[in-house]
Amino acid sequence: MADVIMKHSKAVIALWLVVLVCALPFGIKSGDVLEYDMNSMSGSSTEASDGQAIIDEHFSNSIDLSEILVISYSSSEELAAAQAIFVEFQNLMDDKYGAKTTVSNYGTYSKGDPNVEGILMIAIANNEGESWDIAHETDNIRDLVKEAKSNASAAYPEAAGLTTYVTGNDAITYDTENSSMEDVSKVDPLSILLIFVLLGLFFYAVVTAVVPPAVVGMAYGIALAAVYAIGCLMGVYYITQTLILVSMLGAGCDYAIFIITRYRDERKKGLSHEDALKTAIMWGGEAVFTSGISVIIGFAALALCDFAMVRTMGIILAIGIAIALVAALTFIPSLLNLVKDKIFWPSNIESYKRVEDKVQNGGKLGVHGHLSKGSKRYFAWLSRNTHKHSKLIAIALVVLCIPGLYIFAESEDSADMISVMPDSESVDGLDLIMTQTDGGTIMPTYIVLEMNESIATVGSLPYGGMSIPYVIWNEHGLDPATMTGAVPAVMKMTKDIDDEYEIVGSISGLNSWQIMYMTVESALGTTDPSTINQVLYGQMPSAVKGYVGMILAIASGQHDLTHIDPTAFDAPWNSYVVSELTVANIIDGILNVGTGILSDDGQYVSVMVITTDKPMSADTMDFLAELRSDLHDGDGSYDSVYNSIWSASYVAGSSASIDDMSKDIEDQFSMIRIVVAILLIVLLFFILGSYLTPIRSIITILLSVFLTVALTHVVFEGLMDTPVLFLIPIVLFVVLLGLGMDYEIFMTTKIRENKIKGMNNDEAIDNAIKEAGPVISLCALLMGGTFLTLVLANSSMLKELGFALGMGILIDGLLMVGYVSPALMHLMGDWSWKGPGFLTRRHGLNPDGSNMAVPAACGAVPADAERIGGEMPVRAVPATPEEVAKYKQECYSEVAVRQDRIAALNAEVKTLTDNKRIGRLDEEGEKELEAKRSELKAEKESLREFQRKSREDLRSGKGQ
């Protein structure tokens, strides 16, 4: 790969730019396919989704609460002003939208006396369905509200000062979309600035600080095209677009930095540009490729989830990381090949060397020098102490993890999506509704019943420009003689649920004016229709009271419906109003069909339950679980007792959907966690050729997850009183297992490289900490910092995700990889590298973890020995065990030096040979090629002879 990139660098860069230009037109439209309602991203068949599908298909008159105008009042005068605002607003909406919308009075609500203090709720129905997007009319509707207040204030001065909110599902969707765009505009620049500052300080170079985020930006532009393509097929939840940028910035910059740093380090050692770049691609590229694959595995595992929100998030994040990985492995080396050391402008390789020389030998240090000196001191201290105190670090880890694991196990995650919504007018309106009414008013729970047979004939009666529904019960719905059938059964069930659960504020099921009439008649002990009708009218909910009063007025012969007197009706329930329709027929139509309780074909019933607590609170979710048990479980369940009336029942609604989603996702992730862990262990097993190191890596990252989840609960639940959303631990596990594995792989592959070059285990670890530690810490700060910028978002969901992912990356990259992993590998010794021979030998190691290049019976010359004509001086034969051990160690160092020299000569010969093949070698170049070939041959023969003599010396020593 190195040869291809170095030969075709310009073509590689040109290809990337062409792909970017082609992708941008689609990427720009990616925002059009984003979804902001989690309920629309379920994608999995659950009880709640099946029940909702029945409501959507069969209940044309269900109450539409997609947009709601809420007006708060605190006196009877303000209530009158609120009513005037409603009238003005209704007229303005009719003028602007005509038949597209219907504006209706949803009633007054209050925890006290609604005539004195409370809220007036006005429902804004979208009559066009999905063919018209009312959500994006929210700002226009709010402008009409302001105009209506101004108009009403002429007659009612109090109207101008009333507080109004436009809320509801569509308004929340609109506000969430705007908040998301604000978050992106705020978070993205800060993330890029953080990356620029950290890279500038690390490299002390402007160009190097710009290149990684710029390359990731190019990759992000291409990834947005993938967002658009996938969004056209299945929809993409809005937080995915924010997460993909932050993830690509973090991971992509890590990969780019690792390769650039490796190139710089090889140049500082004296290698030529070509050799340094090849080494960076070979060794750095391997680590980056392995890290990228591990991240892709982690993200791609999310695609195994049934829910579209999680599935598309996993697919898109995996694609984004893959694009960033390929860019780091191809675009960055190609750019390095073209600009060479200019990438470090205004610094250069010589200035880096001078700084290091001053750090080591003394001299005046600038900012870069002090940073370099501080870094070297810290990582030298770290290498000593992880070696010296490895057992103490392992003990400290156990002590630290005990409370973390306890908090992780005992804490409960929340499914309350409302609590993590971004601050907005719609959320404020939602909070006001939940304050002045029962909490579940805005998001009711529905019990959907599928009847064995149709229970009624449903029709409509045109009157005064309106269409009034009516119901004629059949014997399956209500048998007047025996008072049996679906209506009394559902009324009995709803009464039982209302009596059993304190959390139920109100429950609206099937109702019969006949049954209610006879019940009041019995309770009052009177047969006077006027008295009974007056009591019944007083019991009607505010949402239907006006319509019921109108029917009673019509039945009593009143024609001026602007001044009706419902109490004037003095006839029983079965009095005829028009044709063959009785009072009961029409009022039952209003109570059951008009409110969306009975379907248009009489085959389904939707019982609406409004809880006193917030829709998605823990108590509401517990109630849903108990309600489902009452409906479905055992011989005493409602499904069993009333199986002759309905064949199936479903608990639906927003709360039920989120409850199903959270439980199903958690169940599926029990499997996904195992799949991810196994795949990563297998990947690392084949990459590293080790039995234990992959398992040790997974364990340290899992500990990072546990500690981070515990810390997130402490901060958000304990300090900020915000519940931790159920998605946080799930996403954290997969993301951290992928992204956090980057640093494990960077460190572990560097240790293995040192082992291959002849160092023993402890030396390899200490050297890796000193050389790879700084860049790993930088990468952790970059990625952790970019995620932490999300805590500035308006959405609590993004805040929690940003905090958890950022702290998880920092804990893993700085604590686990910096301290714990090296300490554990010191304790494990060569056990870290033991593996099957067919894998270890590919990496130059024996199955027992020792170095193949230096045979087990081999020694080395002292570091200060001088060469004479390429030969090694005569050494004293080792005799004691101590001498044998020292002899072996010295041999490792010598062989590593010779192997590096052979590798460098191989690279030079390869370059000269390539130039000769394409005719770019002159006579002097031909001579140089022959000389290099001879030198390479001599070095190889010298190495073989050195190893042979060392083995003989060691055998002689053992024989003494």
Side-chain angles (χ1 to χ4, degrees):
M1 183 171 122
D3 292 335
V4 172
I5 290 175
M6 295 179 71
K7 286 180 184 177
H8 306 289
S9 297
K10 292 181 180 179
V12 170
I13 292 176
L15 179 60
W16 272 104
L17 295 177
V18 169
V19 173
L20 176 63
V21 170
C22 294
L24 277 179
F26 301 99
I28 292 172
K29 297 190 292 184
S30 61
D32 298 341
V33 298
L34 299 181
E35 296 284 350
Y36 296 87
D37 181 6
M38 186 178 286
N39 290 325
S40 67
M41 296 294 296
S42 62
S44 177
S45 178
T46 63
E47 178 179 336
S49 65
D50 292 344
Q52 188 61 48
I54 292 173
I55 292 175
D56 293 340
E57 182 177 356
H58 296 281
F59 290 81
S60 61
N61 291 323
S62 59
I63 298 173
D64 186 350
L65 298 178
S66 58
E67 295 248 342
I68 301 173
L69 170 58
V70 185
I71 307 176
S72 177
Y73 61 90
S74 57
S75 67
S76 57
E77 291 79 13
E78 289 187 354
L79 174 57
Q83 298 284 5
I85 293 173
F86 158 62
V87 174
E88 292 289 343
F89 177 69
Q90 189 176 43
N91 294 332
L92 291 170
M93 288 289 291
D94 286 343
D95 290 343
K96 184 173 182 63
Y97 297 111
K100 287 185 176 181
T101 62
T102 298
V103 177
S104 56
N105 190 330
Y106 194 56
T108 56
Y109 296 85
S110 174
K111 288 293 179 68
D113 184 351
N115 293 315
V116 176
E117 181 182 7
I119 58 173
L120 174 65
M121 291 173 55
I122 300 165
I124 307 166
N126 176 9
N127 298 330
E128 301 293 314
E130 294 183 0
S131 63
W132 184 58
D133 185 8
I134 192 175
H136 284 89
E137 294 294 321
T138 300
D139 265 350
N140 293 329
I141 292 174
R142 285 171 176 160
D143 289 339
L144 293 181
V145 172
K146 294 177 183 177
E147 187 176 348
K149 289 172 64 176
S150 177
N151 294 345
S153 64
Y156 298 88
E158 297 88 349
L162 294 183
T163 301
T164 59
Y165 301 99
V166 174
T167 184
N169 290 335
D170 284 336
I172 290 172
T173 296
Y174 175 78
D175 287 341
T176 302
E177 180 179 354
N178 285 343
S179 176
S180 173
M181 291 187 289
E182 290 177 10
D183 288 341
V184 169
S185 64
K186 181 168 51 178
V187 168
D188 291 355
L190 185 60
S191 299
I192 294 170
L193 177 63
L194 174 67
I195 291 171
F196 183 80
V197 170
L198 289 176
L199 289 181
L201 291 174
F202 183 79
F203 288 103
Y204 211 65
V206 174
V207 175
T208 322
V210 172
V211 167
V215 172
V216 173
M218 174 191 69
Y220 177 66
I222 297 171
L224 286 182
V227 172
Y228 177 76
I230 293 172
C232 290
L233 297 176
M234 59 184 74
V236 177
Y237 197 49
Y238 77 97
I239 66 170
T240 304
Q241 189 174 36
T242 304
L243 285 177
I244 189 176
L245 176 59
V246 176
S247 299
M248 289 181 69
L249 272 175
C253 286
D254 282 3
Y255 303 151
I257 292 164
F258 204 76
I259 292 175
I260 293 173
T261 303
R262 187 59 189 262
Y263 169 79
R264 185 194 65 174
D265 291 346
E266 297 303 324
R267 290 286 287 127
K268 284 161 59 178
K269 291 177 183 178
L271 290 185
S272 66
H273 161 73
E274 290 79 8
D275 294 339
L277 185 55
K278 284 186 177 181
T279 303
I281 296 173
M282 287 170 55
W283 291 103
E286 181 193 28
V288 166
F289 178 76
T290 305
S291 299
I293 294 299
S294 70
V295 177
I296 292 170
I297 287 174
F299 283 143
L302 294 173
L304 299 176
C305 184
D306 287 341
F307 283 88
M309 182 193 74
V310 179
R311 183 169 64 250
T312 56
M313 183 187 298
I315 294 172
I316 289 172
L317 289 175
I319 291 173
I321 295 298
I323 295 172
L325 174 64
V326 176
L329 290 174
T330 59
F331 192 96
I332 292 294
S334 297
L335 187 64
L336 279 171
N337 192 40
L338 294 178
V339 303
K340 299 182 173 61
D341 296 344
K342 293 185 181 68
I343 199 169
F344 303 113
W345 185 88
S347 295
N348 54 51
I349 299 301
E350 293 304 318
S351 67
Y352 289 139
K353 289 181 179 179
R354 286 194 298 271
V355 169
E356 286 204 358
D357 182 66
K358 290 178 181 180
V359 169
Q360 293 176 358
N361 302 316
K364 186 177 180 180
L365 300 176
V367 175
H368 190 208
H370 284 293
L371 291 173
S372 178
K373 184 176 182 179
S375 173
K376 287 183 180 297
R377 283 185 174 180
Y378 171 74
F379 288 102
W381 173 87
L382 188 61
S383 67
R384 290 193 306 271
N385 285 277
T386 53
H387 189 168
K388 182 179 180 181
H389 303 296
S390 55
K391 292 182 181 178
L392 183 61
I393 291 173
I395 294 171
L397 175 67
V398 174
V399 173
L400 180 64
C401 286
I402 289 174
L405 290 172
Y406 174 79
I407 296 174
F408 177 86
E410 292 297 316
S411 59
E412 292 188 7
D413 302 322
S414 171
D416 189 355
M417 299 301 300
I418 296 175
S419 65
V420 296
M421 288 178 180
D423 294 334
S424 63
E425 177 180 330
S426 57
V427 172
D428 291 341
L430 192 62
D431 290 338
L432 177 61
I433 292 173
M434 290 188 293
T435 300
Q436 290 292 343
T437 70
D438 289 327
T441 299
I442 191 70
M443 294 181 183
T445 294
Y446 298 96
I447 303 172
V448 181
L449 305 174
E450 184 175 354
M451 297 296 164
N452 291 325
E453 299 179 62
S454 176
I455 61 175
T457 298
V458 177
S460 62
L461 176 67
Y463 188 88
M466 296 184 296
S467 180
I468 303 174
Y470 66 81
V471 167
I472 301 174
W473 304 112
N474 58 33
E475 61 180 2
H476 304 294
L478 177 62
D479 186 338
T482 60
M483 297 300 289
T484 58
V487 175
V490 174
M491 293 179 73
K492 173 70 166 58
M493 181 189 73
T494 55
K495 184 178 186 306
D496 290 345
I497 293 173
D498 194 16
D499 292 342
E500 181 179 356
Y501 296 102
E502 290 184 6
I503 197 173
V504 176
S506 64
I507 182 168
S508 303
L510 287 177
N511 279 300
S512 163
W513 188 262
Q514 176 189 354
I515 294 177
M516 290 188 292
Y517 187 97
M518 297 175 66
T519 302
V520 170
E521 180 182 54
S522 175
L524 296 179
T526 181
T527 59
D528 177 31
S530 179
T531 303
I532 297 172
N533 288 328
Q534 185 173 346
V535 171
L536 285 177
Y537 174 72
Q539 294 176 350
M540 292 296 98
S542 59
V544 298
K545 197 168 187 176
Y547 296 102
V548 172
M550 181 182 68
I551 298 304
L552 294 177
I554 294 171
S556 65
Q558 299 178 48
H559 301 289
D560 183 7
L561 298 183
T562 59
H563 297 85
I564 63 172
D565 179 12
T567 62
F569 182 58
D570 59 357
W573 60 271
N574 55 355
S575 300
Y576 289 101
V577 180
V578 293
S579 185
E580 299 296 318
L581 298 177
T582 66
V583 170
N585 293 145
I586 301 176
I587 294 181
D588 284 355
I590 295 171
L591 295 179
N592 295 286
V593 180
T595 57
I597 293 173
L598 181 66
S599 65
D600 297 337
D601 57 4
Q603 187 72 45
Y604 299 92
V605 171
S606 176
V607 177
M608 184 169 68
V609 183
I610 295 177
T611 57
T612 56
D613 211 346
K614 293 182 178 181
M616 299 172 193
S617 67
D619 288 342
T620 298
M621 294 308 187
D622 290 341
F623 162 67
L624 292 180
E626 295 179 22
L627 179 61
R628 282 173 167 158
S629 178
D630 290 345
L631 285 168
H632 311 315
D633 299 342
D635 293 336
S637 67
Y638 292 117
D639 287 350
S640 178
V641 171
Y642 295 111
N643 59 26
S644 61
I645 295 176
W646 63 74
S647 57
S649 65
Y650 310 86
V651 177
S654 297
S655 299
S657 295
I658 297 298
D659 187 47
D660 282 347
M661 182 185 297
S662 64
K663 290 176 179 177
D664 280 11
I665 289 177
E666 182 58 42
D667 290 342
Q668 291 173 25
F669 265 83
S670 299
M671 177 269 294
I672 290 174
R673 289 185 182 99
I674 296 172
V675 170
V676 173
I678 291 175
L679 287 176
L680 289 178
I681 288 174
V682 171
L683 171 70
L684 294 181
F685 172 71
F686 282 102
I687 293 294
L688 301 176
S690 167
Y691 293 123
L692 298 180
T693 295
I695 298 174
R696 193 268 310 153
S697 298
I698 294 293
I699 290 174
T700 54
I701 292 179
L702 288 179
L703 291 176
S704 299
V705 173
F706 297 146
L707 290 173
T708 304
V709 171
L711 183 61
T712 303
H713 276 280
V714 169
V715 171
F716 282 89
E717 282 188 350
L719 301 179
M720 300 174 62
D721 196 28
T722 301
V724 176
L725 196 65
F726 71 94
L727 284 174
I728 305 302
I730 292 171
V731 173
L732 177 65
F733 176 89
V734 174
V735 173
L736 198 58
L737 209 58
L739 291 176
M741 188 62 72
D742 278 357
Y743 312 121
E744 282 285 346
I745 291 172
F746 288 165
M747 179 64 75
T748 305
T749 53
K750 181 61 179 177
I751 296 172
R752 188 195 63 188
E753 177 187 341
N754 291 339
K755 285 279 293 180
I756 293 171
K757 290 181 177 179
M759 298 182 190
N760 65 27
N761 190 65
D762 289 343
E763 287 178 335
I765 296 170
D766 294 343
N767 176 269
I769 292 174
K770 294 174 184 177
E771 291 196 1
V775 69
I776 290 174
S777 297
L778 171 68
C779 290
L781 289 171
L782 283 175
M783 190 181 297
T786 53
F787 276 120
L788 284 175
T789 57
L790 292 176
V791 300
L792 300 176
N794 292 322
S795 168
S796 292
M797 183 192 301
L798 282 178
K799 288 181 180 179
E800 291 180 358
L801 278 172
F803 178 84
L805 293 174
M807 292 305 301
I809 292 295
L810 293 178
I811 289 172
D812 187 68
L814 301 181
L815 178 63
M816 292 298 178
V817 176
Y819 290 83
V820 175
S821 294
L824 294 178
M825 294 185 76
H826 276 301
L827 292 174
M828 292 167 64
D830 282 341
W831 280 95
S832 294
W833 306 107
K834 289 186 178 181
F838 76 95
L839 288 177
T840 60
R841 293 189 185 97
R842 288 175 53 200
H843 303 303
L845 299 175
N846 292 308
D848 64 357
S850 61
N851 195 326
M852 277 183 64
V854 184
C858 179
V861 298
D864 58 352
E866 295 182 1
R867 296 181 188 280
I868 303 175
E871 296 297 324
M872 300 305 300
V874 177
R875 278 188 47 117
V877 176
T880 66
E882 291 78 11
E883 289 178 336
V884 169
K886 183 179 179 182
Y887 195 64
K888 288 182 179 180
Q889 186 54 51
E890 291 171 345
C891 179
Y892 295 153
S893 300
E894 176 62 25
V895 169
V897 170
R898 289 172 177 248
Q899 286 180 326
D900 283 346
R901 187 181 299 110
I902 289 172
L905 285 169
N906 262 323
E908 292 182 55
V909 169
K910 178 70 168 55
T911 301
L912 290 168
T913 303
D914 291 342
N915 288 337
K916 180 180 178 180
R917 186 170 59 251
I918 61 177
R920 293 174 56 185
L921 213 60
D922 56 14
E923 186 176 344
E924 288 298 323
E926 293 276 4
K927 292 179 181 179
E928 184 183 1
L929 175 58
E930 291 304 317
K932 291 293 183 183
R933 284 174 173 170
S934 299
E935 186 179 353
L936 176 61
K937 181 178 179 181
E939 284 288 350
K940 290 180 177 179
E941 290 176 353
S942 177
L943 176 59
R944 285 194 293 269
E945 180 62 18
F946 168 71
Q947 291 175 320
R948 185 188 64 76
K949 287 183 178 180
S950 298
R951 286 194 295 269
E952 289 180 356
D953 288 347
L954 191 57
R955 281 195 293 269
S956 298
K958 284 185 175 181
Q960 291 181 357

